[in-house]
Amino acid sequence: MKLAYWMYAGPAHIGTLRVTSSFKNVHAIMHAPLGDDYFNVMRSMLERERDFTPVTASIVDRNVLARGSQEKVVENITQKAQQEKPNLIILTPTCTSSILQEDLQNFVDRAAINSECDILLADVNHYRVNEFQAADRTLEQIIRYSLEKIEKSNDLVKTKTSQPSANIIGIFTLGFHHQHDCREIHRLLKDLGIKVNLVIPEGGTIESLKNLVKAWFNIIPYREIGLMTAQYLKKVFNMPYISTTPMGIIDTANWIRQIKNILQDNCKINIEEYIDKQTRFVSQAAWFSRSIDCQNLTGKKAIVFGDATHAASMTKILSQEMGIRVICSGTYCKHDANWFREQVQGFCDKILITEDHTHVGNIIAEMEPSAIFGTQMERHVGKRLDIPCGVISAPIHIQNFPLSYRPFLGYEGTNQIADLVYNSFTLGMEDHLLEIFGGHDIKTVITKNLSTNENLQWSHAALVELNKIPGFVRNRIKRNTEKYARDNNIKEINVEVMYAAKEALAG
Amino acid sequence: MAKELLKFECETGNYHTFCPISCVAWLYQKIEDSFFLVIGTKTCGYFLQNALGVMIFAEPRYAMAELEEGDISAKLNDLKELKRLCFQIQKDRNPSVIVWIGTCTTEIIKMDLEGIAPSIEEEIGIPIVVARANGLDYAFTQGEDTVLSAIAHRCPELKSKNSFVFQNFFNYSVKKSSLPLVLFGSVPNTVANQLTNELKKQDINIAGWLPSPRYNELPELGEGIYVCGINPFLSRTAMTLMRRRKCQLIGAPFPIGPDGTREWIEKICKVFNKKPINLREREEQIWSNLDDYIQLIKNKSVFFMGDNLLEISLARFLIRCGMIVYEIGIPYMDKRFQASELNLLEKTCQKMNVPIPRIVEKPDNYHQIQRIRALQPDLVITGLAHSNPLEARGITTKWSVEFTFAQIHGFTNSRDILELVTRPIRRNSNLKNLGWSKLVKI
């Protein structure tokens, strides 16, 4: 047992449901107790989805406990097949069905006899995999099953398209800025003269999968979901794939070069010229990091935490492209820890792999960065500690589903990220002016006592001096000074002590 | 005309509602010195964290005891594990009571929470209350019912059987003396005060509330105590109070809407032989305050999909406001506990001269959507899973969960109910001339 207040990655069935409800005309039936269909609320609220979420529950209640589901699941499946006429129904196990150990495959087989549509049992174990792993597996399972079936009936189109083309695999419902990223990848590919063959799973249908293999290669924008599918397609159909995330100027360029490698002579445009033009003139990010504004960010300390994809990319962008010092970079994707370490090695002082949000919070409090780039949880830690935070990764709230165009990938993505970073740190000039004029924040924030020792006396002059310090660092200076005073057995803090503390810290 | 009778139907039970563990959200705030420990899986945790949103970040007094594979396969010892967590909670938060919320998983693996609790309780010296608020047996607000009925066992025993009789005998002239009346149901403290004052006006002083704002202020219970519920989903608690604590239940409609509140007070007055003072006038005055809102909803139709058991009381109030109710979906219908409320519903329908709506227990959301399509009601009261899709199809909706979190009890809050009910109507009438009320391609 584990005492937990909050979790980063959701339970397995959420992953499965994200895959199924991303497809068009695929229905999921959860084998779950009343109230476990909260996924529908999330999709309807966070994504502001206009359509009914194609997820129903076959309710596990007291009767099911006593006698087993018996006809119930089968009936629910056949009924849904008649009502909605989906192409595919996915029976989704939950934590409850994991322990009940009913033979769900048997229900699927029996339901298949009387139904027109295909029926699959999602192969996920609640206690072994999390949301991302489950989504990755389920997507692979659906693609494998569908392609094998299509191939059997000789409907699979195996000839490649005449023009270079690509599939984008891994755009999901409830994904962090996925819709915007997808549009941006479309734009990049169009520039490179590449057609988008299929986007999977968001908005895709099972029928359209017969054209999947027509593409020349696959693009996997996110590390967490889609890799298994790409590996399967590589193994069986020899389709190459690109798993680099085109986030940041450097990685976007790498990504384009990998495409060039795959296309070889079929790439009509001069890609180095293209990259150069985009980098220097279309994207504003390269110029931004050179502009004097960004000088103020030099050596500022930041902490990064999130899913493996976004945290790794963000760490690289901050340290390589903006000259910011990443004092700690971490992910909650424990299952992918090795990859993450490899990615951020050399770009940060410390690597953190944990699923415990209090651990992350403590490290932030200890290291006192100037800015945090993390999830909604880190945003709240930041609020408490008065440290600004830019949200770069799920878990997210409704405000992270913006209506306007906000990609994180590609060249427009670099602009968005530059804005996010810049706005997160206190504006450089403001910072400077505050120091010169002693701050505009006149209300005595120092009464919000963060120190534990009440015996320390601040002299009037020292308090006045403390007030001159800009609001956003004042508490830290106060704490550091008090720590210094305690360490040196000083009872009254005057201006001299403050400076001594500052010097001691600098040394 | 032959008297029309209430009709009850029952469907498949494939409907959307919140898991009953959500009751920790309001109960931990109500019982200020409590700590709620939900013993369940990631699924439960994920639900709580998403449903309760920002509250998670405010260092709430609730947490998950997240079961891992070792707990399920009994490789780990439940007693030891729970003891470890409870010691930690005691160290970090020092609550006066720890409430264990049993979930589907603890039910299925038959974790003996009731058996384990006493020994840990003895060791750490904090009472541990066990409530099985799981989705196998209950829906949404019924979670509160399981917790309150568990807490009812912990209320101190009435010191002397006749103490109230004596007290009243000796203090006959003293106004302050309270009648042996305990109200049950969790409402915010302001609402509790409003209801208490409302009864005080009738010279009825109550002996206490279940739950009380602090755990060690729970009311005394026993033979001779009258109890009265303020929420329609508290049937288990009522049963516990009657059978186990030998209390006498006052069956009344629930104090929701001015009509419900008046009937509720009248019933209590009747039990204690008090002649209602100024009650009708007060009701009339409240109704007249509601007039602007009533004009907005009069003769409009409403459809309750059903998810929180407040449906009968709300439907009854809305019918009295002049609305036409097509269907009352409800997760579970205790005809005995809600008898007076059902009776009032029937009377209200006759009075307003509208047909009695069908009451659908354990509804099937799919079939309900078909009926909504056919009936095209002016307002659908439903959960968040269906709100946006219905709105996109040009059907006005009100999010039902808001009724459980808003203050809706008593005369004072009647306007708040209509505020909620009319809000989508007011909003949509602001937008109605724009020509884009249907926002899906068909």
Side-chain angles (χ1 to χ4, degrees):
Chain A
M1 262 178 231
K2 194 165 87 181
L3 196 63
Y5 296 88
W6 210 74
M7 67 183 80
Y8 286 104
H13 71 266
I14 297 289
T16 300
L17 296 180
R18 279 180 61 195
V19 175
T20 57
S21 52
S22 296
F23 277 112
K24 265 192 198 141
N25 218 21
V26 172
H27 202 100
I29 295 184
M30 299 168 69
H31 188 238
L34 197 62
D36 271 5
D37 58 352
Y38 190 72
F39 175 79
N40 297 25
V41 175
M42 289 177 60
R43 196 167 118 99
S44 171
M45 289 309 289
L46 298 180
E47 288 257 19
R48 298 182 191 86
E49 183 55 56
R50 300 173 197 215
D51 279 317
F52 293 100
T53 302
V55 175
T56 33
S58 175
I59 302 287
V60 176
D61 58 15
R62 192 52 72 174
N63 291 329
V64 170
L65 271 200
R67 330 170 13 241
S69 297
Q70 296 195 355
E71 300 305 316
K72 200 169 181 179
V73 176
V74 180
E75 260 165 36
N76 276 317
I77 296 175
T78 39
Q79 224 168 55
K80 203 40 78 182
Q82 279 163 13
Q83 287 166 352
E84 309 270 356
K85 309 229 177 320
N87 299 113
L88 178 66
I89 289 180
I90 306 280
L91 182 59
T92 310
T94 58
C95 57
T96 310
S97 49
S98 275
I99 347 172
L100 281 178
Q101 298 191 330
E102 285 191 274
D103 189 357
L104 295 179
Q105 185 58 51
N106 176 30
F107 297 150
V108 165
D109 295 342
R110 276 166 54 203
I113 299 169
N114 296 322
S115 310
E116 303 255 316
C117 73
D118 290 331
I119 303 160
L120 261 183
L121 171 65
D123 173 28
V124 290
N125 180 329
H126 174 91
Y127 294 94
R128 302 272 166 86
V129 294
N130 67 20
E131 174 185 353
F132 299 117
Q133 293 163 294
D136 203 11
R137 293 168 86 118
T138 306
L139 182 62
E140 195 257 7
Q141 197 189 356
I142 293 176
I143 300 289
R144 179 193 292 265
Y145 173 85
S146 306
L147 288 192
E148 279 171 6
K149 191 182 168 214
I150 296 168
E151 202 173 15
K152 234 181 250 166
S153 58
N154 282 325
D155 285 340
L156 193 65
V157 186
K158 282 190 177 164
T159 45
K160 298 288 170 196
T161 53
S162 53
Q163 289 289 307
S165 63
N167 297 319
I168 305 172
I169 299 178
I171 306 296
F172 288 93
T173 187
L174 292 172
F176 181 70
H177 293 241
H178 276 199
Q179 301 295 345
H180 312 286
D181 285 348
C182 186
R183 235 173 93 190
E184 185 63 19
I185 295 175
H186 264 89
R187 234 167 67 168
L188 275 174
L189 291 177
K190 196 175 169 219
D191 284 355
L192 299 170
I194 298 166
K195 263 191 62 185
V196 174
N197 185 46
L198 287 180
V199 177
I200 299 293
E202 185 64 48
T205 62
I206 298 295
E207 289 154 332
S208 69
L209 291 180
K210 67 171 188 280
N211 294 320
L212 188 69
V213 188
K214 273 167 69 182
W216 292 30
F217 65 103
N218 292 318
I219 290 168
I220 317 298
Y222 311 104
R223 176 80 195 161
E224 285 76 22
I225 318 180
L227 261 188
M228 278 181 80
T229 309
Q231 282 156 357
Y232 161 74
L233 292 170
K234 165 99 178 125
K235 200 175 133 206
V236 178
F237 299 98
N238 201 26
M239 292 178 83
Y241 65 88
I242 297 172
S243 60
T244 301
T245 302
M247 185 166 153
I249 295 172
I250 295 172
D251 274 350
T252 304
N254 281 339
W255 183 81
I256 294 171
R257 290 193 186 101
Q258 286 179 38
I259 291 179
K260 161 81 181 165
N261 273 344
I262 288 171
L263 297 185
Q264 302 287 353
D265 295 337
N266 288 296
C267 189
K268 293 282 185 299
I269 66 163
N270 182 339
I271 61 135
E272 288 306 328
E273 212 173 81
Y274 174 76
I275 291 172
D276 183 59
K277 188 179 153 217
Q278 291 287 328
T279 303
R280 291 197 297 140
F281 304 110
V282 177
S283 158
Q284 298 296 314
W287 159 236
F288 163 74
S289 54
R290 198 57 206 250
S291 73
I292 49 161
D293 240 356
C294 202
Q295 270 183 22
N296 290 313
L297 300 185
T298 308
K300 287 236 164 154
K301 291 190 220 159
I303 285 182
V304 179
F305 194 82
D307 63 19
T309 301
H310 289 92
S313 296
M314 202 62 198
T315 305
K316 287 190 273 181
I317 292 170
L318 290 174
S319 97
Q320 292 186 99
E321 297 176 17
M322 292 181 177
I324 290 162
R325 185 163 156 220
V326 180
I327 48 175
C328 178
S329 170
T331 183
Y332 54 82
C333 293
K334 270 175 131 170
H335 61 278
D336 213 7
N338 289 338
W339 178 85
F340 183 79
R341 281 203 191 89
E342 201 181 286
Q343 289 295 307
V344 299
Q345 200 69 261
F347 297 117
C348 59
D349 301 353
K350 181 185 158 87
I351 297 172
L352 178 69
I353 311 284
T354 181
E355 287 177 322
D356 180 358
H357 75 271
T358 47
H359 189 188
V360 180
N362 288 341
I363 283 187
I364 293 172
E366 223 171 79
M367 295 186 139
E368 295 188 296
S370 314
I372 313 167
F373 297 94
T375 71
Q376 277 293 336
M377 192 66 206
E378 282 68 50
R379 192 172 73 84
H380 281 266
V381 172
K383 256 190 193 167
R384 232 176 22 219
L385 298 170
D386 234 343
I387 302 172
C389 178
V391 175
I392 55 149
S393 155
I396 38 182
H397 287 336
I398 194 152
Q399 66 263 44
N400 303 112
F401 290 89
L403 302 174
S404 57
Y405 188 48
R406 297 268 178 80
F408 269 66
L409 304 187
Y411 288 110
E412 178 55 29
T414 61
N415 292 338
Q416 296 289 339
I417 293 169
D419 276 342
L420 181 77
V421 171
Y422 188 59
N423 291 332
S424 297
F425 287 101
T426 312
L427 303 179
M429 214 46 173
E430 191 186 0
D431 191 342
H432 192 54
L433 291 175
L434 282 170
E435 244 167 87
I436 294 174
F437 295 112
H440 52 54
D441 191 359
I442 319 194
K443 55 184 195 303
T444 44
V445 187
I446 45 168
T447 49
K448 197 173 78 182
N449 202 346
L450 283 168
S451 52
T452 46
N453 197 330
E454 299 291 315
N455 305 331
L456 289 168
Q457 289 286 319
W458 284 73
S459 76
H460 178 70
L463 277 177
V464 171
E465 193 61 27
L466 188 62
N467 263 334
K468 285 188 196 157
I469 294 163
F472 54 93
V473 284
R474 191 177 299 145
N475 280 321
R476 192 185 339 153
I477 302 279
K478 182 170 186 251
R479 257 176 293 155
N480 287 342
T481 310
E482 290 186 346
K483 184 168 180 291
Y484 172 82
R486 271 197 300 278
D487 291 346
N488 293 286
N489 263 328
I490 299 169
K491 284 274 174 287
E492 202 205 16
I493 298 173
N494 51 29
V495 181
E496 280 80 1
V497 176
M498 283 178 76
Y499 290 143
K502 192 181 174 203
E503 282 158 24
L505 273 174
Chain B
M1 194 178 80
K3 193 184 155 198
E4 217 182 338
L5 290 173
L6 290 170
K7 285 184 289 285
F8 297 94
E9 289 170 42
C10 189
E11 284 189 320
T12 61
N14 285 337
Y15 64 102
H16 166 78
T17 183
F18 273 14
C19 174
I21 59 172
S22 50
C23 68
V24 304
W26 61 88
L27 287 175
Y28 94 83
Q29 293 183 48
K30 175 71 195 181
I31 311 173
E32 292 157 12
D33 50 357
S34 62
F35 191 97
F36 284 77
L37 184 66
V38 182
I39 305 163
T41 60
K42 250 184 180 327
T43 308
C44 314
Y46 197 67
F47 163 69
L48 278 182
Q49 125 179 5
N50 283 296
L52 310 184
V54 286
M55 279 194 259
I56 300 284
F57 301 110
E59 298 231 350
R61 292 186 318 277
Y62 65 81
M64 291 290 309
E66 197 184 309
L67 300 170
E68 290 163 304
E69 204 164 10
D71 299 302
I72 306 298
S73 55
K75 274 203 189 105
L76 298 167
N77 179 311
D78 302 338
L79 176 74
K80 272 191 201 151
E81 292 293 303
L82 281 168
K83 197 193 289 175
R84 183 171 56 83
L85 298 192
C86 286
F87 267 115
Q88 197 180 331
I89 290 165
Q90 185 188 32
K91 201 181 101 218
D92 297 348
R93 305 293 178 90
N94 194 29
S96 309
V97 58
I98 299 178
V99 183
W100 287 357
I101 303 287
T103 61
C104 305
T105 312
T106 57
E107 245 2 81
I108 297 169
I109 63 174
K110 301 200 165 42
M111 195 183 277
D112 183 18
L113 297 178
E114 280 92 347
I116 297 171
S119 65
I120 297 180
E121 183 171 299
E122 201 172 312
E123 235 176 291
I124 63 172
I126 301 177
I128 294 175
V129 174
V130 180
R132 302 175 175 204
N134 61 69
L136 295 167
D137 301 304
Y138 306 109
F140 196 10
T141 48
Q142 287 180 290
E144 176 181 323
D145 195 19
T146 62
V147 174
L148 294 192
S149 78
I151 291 181
H153 288 278
R154 301 301 184 107
C155 292
E157 187 63 40
L158 193 58
K159 280 181 201 91
S160 150
K161 249 189 192 177
N162 297 319
S163 66
F164 271 109
V165 181
F166 273 116
Q167 197 183 348
N168 285 330
F169 180 77
F170 286 117
N171 304 333
Y172 190 68
S173 56
V174 182
K175 273 246 159 68
K176 278 254 166 81
S177 76
S178 51
L179 293 165
L181 173 64
V182 170
L183 300 181
F184 60 97
S186 165
V187 279
N189 290 344
T190 47
V191 179
N193 288 340
Q194 286 161 1
L195 290 175
T196 308
N197 284 337
E198 218 61 72
L199 289 175
K200 216 174 253 168
K201 283 183 193 157
Q202 307 301 332
D203 196 25
I204 292 169
N205 288 296
I206 57 172
W209 281 85
L210 173 68
S212 47
R214 303 189 70 79
Y215 179 75
N216 47 23
E217 290 164 6
L218 285 174
E220 292 182 348
L221 295 177
E223 221 173 323
I225 294 283
Y226 286 87
V227 290
C228 189
I230 57 159
N231 271 323
F233 44 77
L234 297 172
S235 51
R236 270 176 76 88
T237 308
M239 204 63 77
T240 307
L241 291 170
M242 286 191 300
R243 295 212 179 136
R244 306 299 296 274
R245 303 308 307 263
K246 307 288 174 223
C247 300
Q248 193 128 10
L249 178 71
I250 302 174
F254 301 99
I256 292 168
D259 48 343
T261 307
R262 194 250 307 146
E263 295 257 355
W264 181 73
I265 296 172
E266 256 176 13
K267 190 67 191 284
I268 295 172
C269 285
K270 202 173 152 206
V271 171
F272 292 105
N273 275 324
K274 306 268 183 186
K275 197 163 174 275
I277 311 157
N278 219 10
L279 195 56
R280 297 262 164 186
E281 292 81 347
R282 179 136 171 79
E283 188 196 352
E284 280 318 308
Q285 182 218 332
I286 298 291
W287 280 117
S288 66
N289 286 346
L290 301 179
D291 199 51
D292 52 340
Y293 277 165
I294 288 178
Q295 293 312 317
L296 283 175
I297 52 173
K298 214 172 188 172
N299 297 323
K300 290 216 159 77
S301 55
V302 59
F303 189 109
F304 286 87
M305 284 185 75
D307 72 346
N308 59 15
L309 284 95
L310 294 170
E311 291 87 3
I312 302 283
S313 310
L314 289 174
R316 176 261 302 154
F317 168 52
L318 292 184
I319 291 171
R320 180 65 183 73
C321 291
M323 291 189 92
I324 299 141
V325 178
Y326 286 150
E327 174 168 329
I328 308 175
I330 187 167
Y332 168 73
M333 181 75 244
D334 186 329
K335 287 178 204 161
R336 277 194 296 175
F337 183 60
Q338 295 223 41
S340 310
E341 184 63 86
L342 288 168
N343 196 8
L344 181 58
L345 172 71
E346 227 168 7
K347 274 195 332 208
T348 307
C349 287
Q350 281 156 14
K351 181 175 173 180
M352 303 304 291
N353 202 18
V354 291
I356 291 178
R358 55 194 272 170
I359 297 171
V360 181
E361 210 182 337
K362 287 179 182 295
D364 183 303
N365 281 165
Y366 179 83
H367 295 139
Q368 284 185 315
I369 300 285
Q370 310 301 318
R371 294 198 285 271
I372 288 169
R373 280 196 173 129
L375 293 165
Q376 293 286 318
D378 296 309
L379 183 68
V380 175
I381 297 181
T382 180
L384 279 175
H386 296 111
S387 276
N388 269 341
L390 285 172
E391 288 282 353
R393 283 157 184 78
I395 289 175
T396 307
T397 63
K398 179 71 230 148
W399 172 35
S400 58
V401 176
E402 257 187 290
F403 291 104
T404 49
F405 290 117
Q407 310 197 340
I408 60 167
H409 292 85
F411 288 127
T412 322
N413 299 310
S414 301
R415 198 171 168 85
D416 291 53
I417 307 177
L418 290 189
E419 167 76 29
L420 289 179
V421 172
T422 57
R423 191 180 299 153
I425 293 169
R426 282 178 284 137
R427 197 269 313 263
N428 287 356
S429 76
N430 287 343
L431 308 180
K432 74 172 178 232
N433 294 325
L434 296 171
W436 58 57
S437 59
K438 282 195 181 147
L439 292 149
V440 279
K441 289 179 208 145
I442 296 166

